[in-house]
Amino acid sequence: MSLIVQKFGGSSVANAERVMNVAGIVTDTYNKGNDVIVVVSAQGDTTDDLIEKAKEINPHASKRETDMLLSAGEQISISLLAMAIEKLGYPVVSLLGWQAGFQTTSAHTSARIKRVVPDRIKKELDQRRIVIVAGFQGLNRYDDITTLGRGGSDTSAVAIATALHADLCQIYTDVEGVYTADPRKVKKAIKLKEISYDEMLELATLGAQVLNNRSVEMAKKYNIELEVLSSLTKAPGTLVKENAKMEKMLISGVAKDTDVARISVTGIPDRPGLAFKMFAKLSAKDINVDIILQSIGRNDTKDISFTVAKSKGEEAVAILQDYINVIGAKEVLYDDNIAKVSIVGAGMESHAGVASKMFEALYDSHINIQMISTSEIKVSVLIDKNDADTAVAAIHSKFFE
């Protein structure tokens, strides 16, 4: 008998028909003698709808009350799925995040899991119940409900698998696995049988929407094997593990991210410590900075450009406007009409010319590169947002066709 954690995204439970379909998948797994824990996201576009409702009432609502609202989506999903499984005649119980033992930090709307105390889950499993847990949510030390940010249900599933030493963590979505590009955009995208944690982590961080990057990071840390597969077909999925076989592939995928903004601070006095203080101010507000480019100093000044998530753009600009007035820099420029397109692959470490091949594909498509960032297994470029889909298709064709 194995312990299996199954996570279902919002599209998998979007309507009554799909909820019943998920109930069938779960009970099939249970019938094979397994203990089953199910983690569920809010149905379809429920979270976006709730955000819009909040804006109608108060566009500047507190993050605490936002969490209280957004957590309702998962509560609806788990109860409906439990009802569906009851209808099929199986023992089942649904639990909110705090009932399942999720203890988090107090950073509302972007909380981090501190620990999972799964005592209640264990008791329910001992009674051979299927346990359904609300993903995305937990409880802080003040007994306030918190949420984990977009894609947080993936992280919830991996955290439960870690806490209970599960044999497998399955992530069900609306695609059949991890592809070399988004199969909904690139028709010739190839499904991978396996991919390493490091490659998957890069792809998830760079915009691939199959898995949340925090969930992959946790799976790698605790060596939890993941399987990404579709809830709509019975096709085999993609295994995400430590040592994946990626023979004869220079890269494992192409990803795009349009939720990105570029900020440039110009005319910064060329003296030590100013860049450190600038990024420290952003870090203090939980604003993550990605690609960074600093110009060669001229006339005793320098320019620094970097990217942030678009949702953090206005806040970052406001912080920097105050800062440049203190240090005497020239201005802060902001542009969110951009996209980040990236290639990822362990094969890049041992093969020369991978970056130039990517740049050639962009050149052939008359796409201008604005910024470049590289590491051992990835190359990212900033381009005009309107060119993003064309760029992904061109790069994928250059490497895979």
Side-chain angles (χ1 to χ4, degrees), residues 24 60 136 143 174 184 229 237 254 277 311 346:
H60 306 290
F136 177 65
D143 289 339
D174 56 357
R184 293 162 291 199
L229 64 171
V254 187
K277 292 177 182 177
S311 59

Side-chain angles (χ1 to χ4, degrees), residues 59-237:
H60 306 290
S62 68
K63 290 185 176 181
R64 181 196 182 277
E65 297 308 325
T66 299
D67 274 354
M68 186 66 77
L69 174 67
L70 297 185
S71 64
E74 279 68 27
Q75 183 166 353
I76 293 169
S77 293
I78 61 172
S79 55
L80 289 175
L81 181 56
M83 292 173 188
I85 292 173
E86 282 180 341
K87 183 178 179 180
L88 296 177
Y90 292 85
V92 61
V93 63
S94 63
L95 302 175
L96 295 172
W98 67 267
Q99 292 174 304
F102 277 85
Q103 299 176 9
T104 75
T105 62
S106 295
H108 285 289
T109 73
S110 59
R112 295 264 173 175
I113 299 170
K114 295 169 69 174
R115 66 186 64 85
V116 179
V117 183
D119 296 346
R120 175 72 183 273
I121 296 177
K122 288 179 181 177
K123 289 179 182 177
E124 302 296 347
L125 290 175
D126 287 343
Q127 297 180 57
R128 284 292 290 152
R129 288 194 177 104
I130 296 168
V131 180
I132 305 175
V133 176
F136 177 65
Q137 58 178 243
L139 203 70
N140 67 15
R141 61 176 178 164
Y142 305 108
D143 289 339
D144 288 329
I145 290 175
T146 57
T147 64
L148 307 179
R150 283 308 179 105
S153 292
D154 289 351
T155 307
S156 299
V158 176
I160 288 177
T162 300
L164 289 168
H165 308 288
D167 298 284
L168 179 64
C169 182
Q170 296 177 312
I171 307 293
Y172 284 87
T173 181
D174 56 357
V175 293
E176 293 182 351
V178 181
Y179 285 75
T180 51
D182 186 342
R184 293 162 291 199
K185 298 281 187 175
V186 180
K187 292 182 179 179
K188 294 186 179 181
I190 302 165
K191 185 171 72 175
L192 305 173
K193 291 183 179 179
E194 298 179 351
I195 187 170
S196 70
Y197 290 128
D198 288 337
E199 290 171 304
M200 189 67 246
L201 181 56
E202 287 284 10
L203 283 172
T205 302
L206 295 168
Q209 299 178 355
V210 180
L211 282 173
N212 175 270
N213 60 333
R214 284 162 60 184
S215 70
V216 181
E217 188 176 16
M218 186 180 294
K220 173 179 169 61
K221 181 177 180 180
Y222 296 103
N223 197 30
I224 299 296
E225 191 167 295
L226 303 178
E227 184 181 13
V228 181
L229 64 171
S230 172
S231 61
L232 306 178
T233 71
K234 294 185 180 296

Side-chain angles (χ1 to χ4, degrees), residues 231 244 261 269 291 294:
S231 61
I291 300 176
Q294 178 176 304

Side-chain angles (χ1 to χ4, degrees), residues 265-269 324 328-332:
V265 184
T266 66
I268 301 172
I324 67 169
K330 184 180 178 181
E331 61 182 338
V332 179

